[in-house]
Amino acid sequence: QVQLVESGGGLVQPGGSLRLSCAASGSIFSIYAMGWYRQAPGKQRELVAAISRGGGTTTKYADSVKGRFTVSRDNAKSTMYLQMDSLKPEDTAVYYCNAGYFGGEVYQSYDYWGRGTQVTVSS
């Protein structure tokens, strides 16, 4: 099993930045691909970014965040990050950490989730 805990959410003005962190339990963090999802009020949960296992040489992003968000990982700290720049009001959502794998180039989730961290972008 994997236990995941998100942190770093908060209130930020449009154009601002936040860095989210996802801390994972255990000593086998590096064997999992990891992903960030978000869910806005009244909408379905969507995949925002994903990173491959090990060195994280493969990353994928939703079109809506390309060029603004960067996903990375530090296996020594068992932590995944999401650097969010140039934030927009439509980025407002609860952001969830997930463990999974890549089938080909498609990220697939396991049923391992954090409880979420709120990101609010507003002036």
Side-chain angles (χ1 to χ4, degrees), residues 50-60 71-73 75 102 105:
I51 186 166
S52 58
R53 68 182 182 179
T57 55
T58 298
T59 56
K60 300 293 182 182
V71 63
S72 61
R73 66 191 299 159
N75 293 330
F102 276 94
E105 298 299 315

Side-chain angles (χ1 to χ4, degrees), residues 4 6-7 10 13 19-20 22-23 30 34 45-47 59 61 66-67 76 80 93-94 96 98 106 115 118 120 122:
L4 306 169
E6 303 95 337
S7 63
Q13 292 184 329
R19 189 179 74 162
L20 305 184
C22 171
S30 65
M34 301 290 294
R45 190 172 299 186
E46 65 172 345
L47 179 65
T59 56
Y61 298 93
K66 283 182 179 177
M80 175 181 63
V94 178
Y96 297 92
N98 173 258
V106 179
R115 299 193 71 174
Q118 175 72 231
T120 302
S122 176

Side-chain angles (χ1 to χ4, degrees), residues 45-93:
R45 190 172 299 186
E46 65 172 345
L47 179 65
V48 175
I51 186 166
S52 58
R53 68 182 182 179
T57 55
T58 298
T59 56
K60 300 293 182 182
Y61 298 93
D63 288 343
S64 59
V65 307
K66 283 182 179 177
R68 299 189 298 119
F69 290 11
T70 304
V71 63
S72 61
R73 66 191 299 159
D74 185 339
N75 293 330
K77 297 180 179 179
S78 295
T79 302
M80 175 181 63
Y81 304 96
L82 185 68
Q83 178 66 44
M84 304 186 296
D85 299 318
S86 301
L87 282 161
K88 303 175 180 179
E90 51 263 46
D91 295 318
T92 296

